[in-house]
Amino acid sequence: MYHLIVFLPLIGFLIAGLGGRQIGAAASEYVTSGLLVISAILSWVAFFTVALGGAESFTVPVLRFIQSGNLDVDWAFRIDTLTVVMLVVVTTVSSLVHIYSIGYMHHDPNRPRFFAYLSLFTFAMLMLVTSDNLVQMFFGWEGVGLASYLLIGFWYKKPSASAAAIKAFVVNRVGDFGFALGIFGVYVLFGSVSFETIFAAAATYLPAGGHGEAAAAADAAVQHGDTVLTFLGYHLDKAAAITAVCLLLFMGAMGKSAQVPLHTWLPDAMEGPTPVSALIHAATMVTAGVFLVARMSPLFELSHTALTVVTVVGMITAFFAATVGLVQNDIKRVIAYSTCSQLGYMFVALGLGFYSAAIFHLFTHAFFKALLFLGSGSVIHAVSDEQDMRKMGGLRKLIPTTYWMMFIGTIALTGVGIPATIIGTAGFFSKDAIIEGAFMGHNVAAPVAFALLVVAAMFTSFYSWRLMFMTFHGKPRASADVMHHVHESPMVMLVPLFILAAGALFAGVIFHEYFIGEYYDEFWKAALYLLPDNHILHEFHEVPMWVKLAPFVAMLLGLLGAWYMYIRSPETPVALAAQNRGLYAFLLNKWYFDELYDFLFVRPAKRLGAFLWKDVDGRVIDGLGPDGIAARVQGVTARVVKLQSGYLYHYAFAMLIGVAALITWMMLRSSV
């Protein structure tokens, strides 16, 4: 069964990619989509068998992979609760995106290539989440990066799409470099890249572990001076080495999951087709970093410093992306920055050691974020490919089904629910759990994280309802011709929205007791690592009532603020932007990260490249080397050629001179 789950998307990729022209576009769509649906059904069977059925974790061998010296790597599937949760997320969303794309990409002439790339993307992610060792994970990791490059730049004749694909690829290479170094470090410390061996050794690697004072005591207990790893000229003992390795692994997670400062590729990824955005943001690429940290939790639990860094980066990202989302006008970019912000929530939970809450939010987020992206695609499809919300408005009665699907996605994202009850949307259960966990966290950054996450929740509510009001309410701002052609999407695009809407509404209430509640132990078993002194799993249920109310009040404030500014008083946002031009420009330009990177890295790299190209290579190497020698030869031959005039008297004159010179030489020689 597990072989089918992983390899059916690969088979679909091969059929559509190699034989798409022969079998046609329609057959490519149906084959790839059908295989993904089968894979999704089998994933749910695995989920109920392993996670809810009480089956213990196990390994499924595939083939011998690498044998070199002490390095022995097998390709095998590690099946536990964390794996099957990710299988469900990846295959469910991917199959729905495949089906949705049949309608969305109907007029595209390159549909076989598109569906082949989608299936390749899914296979790479499945290879990643089923990995039994770090090398296998790295292959899936790079496969996801390759597929994202192909899909973001699918419309490669469009310069902005090609630039966005290159940007995503290059930025992720920065993170992947850190991930590769982290893998090398793990191998040096533990002599293996197999998870089973690493986790068994990590249990006794340090005298103690955990959070807060326990972690500090563990670090102090290690005998300093015993070097186990040399990195960048520093001789690291056990505690420092494990911190360095965890930070390198987290560097990889920052790139894939778009955490500050490696986030800049994510908004530009909107240049790809909308189904690609849904797949990247909801189920595949950006969740890979969260999965990595959760999978490697036995190592991260050994480093209080690394967990603190994860928390700090997560809370900064959550706040930063939420502020930028406040002023974006492209409907897809608003949702993209929402993804970036929600990933920050997940990393805060990971940094607090609240791994189950992070994966729970990943699980619920997949439903409502895919719903919002595919819903936005339905809007774009209706308004003749327009993405600027300032040119929309008044669409609620024209595309009512899309409106209600987007409405459900919005209430799920903003976490609508009644505090201290089981009445609420998916985001209400998962996001609020992270906020409550931040309040009870033992991490030194936890209090600041709690405050920033509550503020981010208010901003999330504001920009989410701003999107709804600008797109569907008020007077139409599009041209009469566009409004005349507005139409609801076909059922092949709407049915996936219905399924995702059900998940956005009910995934939280159905599964919260398993992920973070009463059935935690039976559900997760040993898939996530939780030290005995990490009480956050139990304490977050006991937070004061005002803490439970905080995200609810933040959500209401954001809703009321958006209603006032975009329904009650539409002139207010214009006036505020005019009064605070500096702040508005700062947010609209995404805190000037792109401009800063352009100044620090892009321009110097271009100048260095131009210098090496024109001066070093062109003038020095080529000028003195091949080009220089060739030029000298040409100069000499050009002069020699002039001697070949073709006139007989020139040759006779030359002969006379030669004879005279010869006679002169002989006379001088004989006189000597």
Side-chain angles (χ1 to χ4, degrees), residues 466-584:
R466 172 179 178 264
L467 182 152
M468 291 295 293
F469 295 147
M470 290 183 69
T471 303
F472 295 101
H473 294 265
K475 296 179 180 180
R477 295 181 295 277
S479 66
D481 182 61
V482 170
M483 295 302 296
H484 177 72
H485 290 91
V486 171
H487 59 283
E488 189 61 270
S489 298
M491 288 304 295
V492 72
M493 293 173 61
L494 293 179
V495 169
L497 299 185
F498 299 153
I499 298 173
L500 292 169
L505 287 175
F506 303 116
V509 67
I510 293 174
F511 292 107
H512 78 279
E513 288 292 346
Y514 294 97
F515 278 85
I516 56 174
E518 182 179 353
Y519 307 117
Y520 174 92
D521 292 328
E522 295 85 352
F523 181 77
W524 286 110
K525 305 173 187 70
L528 294 178
Y529 193 73
L530 188 68
L531 287 176
D533 67 335
N534 183 6
H535 302 295
I536 190 171
L537 179 65
H538 309 288
E539 292 176 349
F540 94 97
H541 292 289
E542 309 298 329
V543 297
M545 190 61 192
W546 72 267
V547 175
K548 292 181 177 293
L549 288 172
F552 177 77
V553 172
M555 179 269 296
L556 284 181
L557 290 175
L559 168 60
L560 293 175
W563 173 83
Y564 179 79
M565 291 189 182
Y566 295 95
I567 298 296
R568 179 72 175 82
S569 178
E571 65 277 2
T572 300
V574 178
L576 283 175
Q579 293 171 4
N580 302 276
R581 292 181 180 178
L583 177 60
Y584 180 74

Side-chain angles (χ1 to χ4, degrees), residues 623 627-637 639:
D627 290 348
I629 295 173
R632 301 294 79 75
V633 171
Q634 286 181 334
V636 172
T637 55
R639 290 178 173 82

Side-chain angles (χ1 to χ4, degrees), residues 92-101 104 273-279 282 331-332 335 366-381 402 405-406 488-489 492-498 500:
T92 301
V93 174
S94 182
S95 60
L96 294 176
V97 167
H98 273 73
I99 295 170
Y100 177 94
S101 299
Y104 190 87
T274 299
V276 174
S277 303
L279 193 57
I331 187 171
K332 288 173 63 177
I335 305 174
F367 290 104
F368 57 75
K369 189 50 59 69
L371 176 60
L372 286 170
F373 264 115
L374 296 185
S376 70
S378 185
V379 172
I380 295 167
H381 182 266
T402 298
M405 293 301 99
M406 291 286 286
E488 189 61 270
S489 298
V492 72
M493 293 173 61
L494 293 179
V495 169
L497 299 185
F498 299 153
L500 292 169

Side-chain angles (χ1 to χ4, degrees), residues 319-328 337 586-591:
F319 177 76
F320 153 76
T323 62
V324 175
L326 296 173
V327 298
Q328 296 302 305
Y337 277 106
F586 180 71
L587 297 180
L588 190 64
N589 288 282
K590 303 155 289 189
W591 290 28

Side-chain angles (χ1 to χ4, degrees), residues 373-503:
F373 264 115
L374 296 185
S376 70
S378 185
V379 172
I380 295 167
H381 182 266
V383 293
S384 306
D385 297 327
E386 181 58 65
Q387 295 183 201
D388 193 333
M389 297 185 298
R390 294 171 295 184
K391 299 178 182 179
M392 298 181 187
L395 300 177
R396 179 169 59 91
K397 295 181 179 180
L398 299 175
I399 46 174
T401 305
T402 298
Y403 169 74
W404 286 110
M405 293 301 99
M406 291 286 286
F407 180 85
I408 291 172
T410 299
I411 62 174
L413 170 61
T414 57
V416 173
I418 302 176
T421 70
I422 60 169
I423 301 174
T425 58
F428 166 75
F429 288 95
S430 58
K431 186 170 70 173
D432 286 19
I434 293 175
I435 293 174
E436 293 165 15
F439 179 81
M440 299 303 297
H442 301 164
N443 196 308
V444 66
V448 180
F450 169 74
L452 289 182
L453 293 188
V454 171
V455 174
M458 180 177 66
F459 290 165
T460 300
S461 179
F462 179 88
Y463 66 64
S464 298
W465 289 110
R466 172 179 178 264
L467 182 152
M468 291 295 293
F469 295 147
M470 290 183 69
T471 303
F472 295 101
H473 294 265
K475 296 179 180 180
R477 295 181 295 277
S479 66
D481 182 61
V482 170
M483 295 302 296
H484 177 72
H485 290 91
V486 171
H487 59 283
E488 189 61 270
S489 298
M491 288 304 295
V492 72
M493 293 173 61
L494 293 179
V495 169
L497 299 185
F498 299 153
I499 298 173
L500 292 169

Side-chain angles (χ1 to χ4, degrees), residues 327-349:
V327 298
Q328 296 302 305
N329 297 310
D330 185 307
I331 187 171
K332 288 173 63 177
R333 283 182 178 265
V334 174
I335 305 174
Y337 277 106
S338 170
T339 298
C340 193
S341 182
Q342 297 306 305
L343 288 167
Y345 277 83
M346 298 177 206
F347 278 103
V348 167

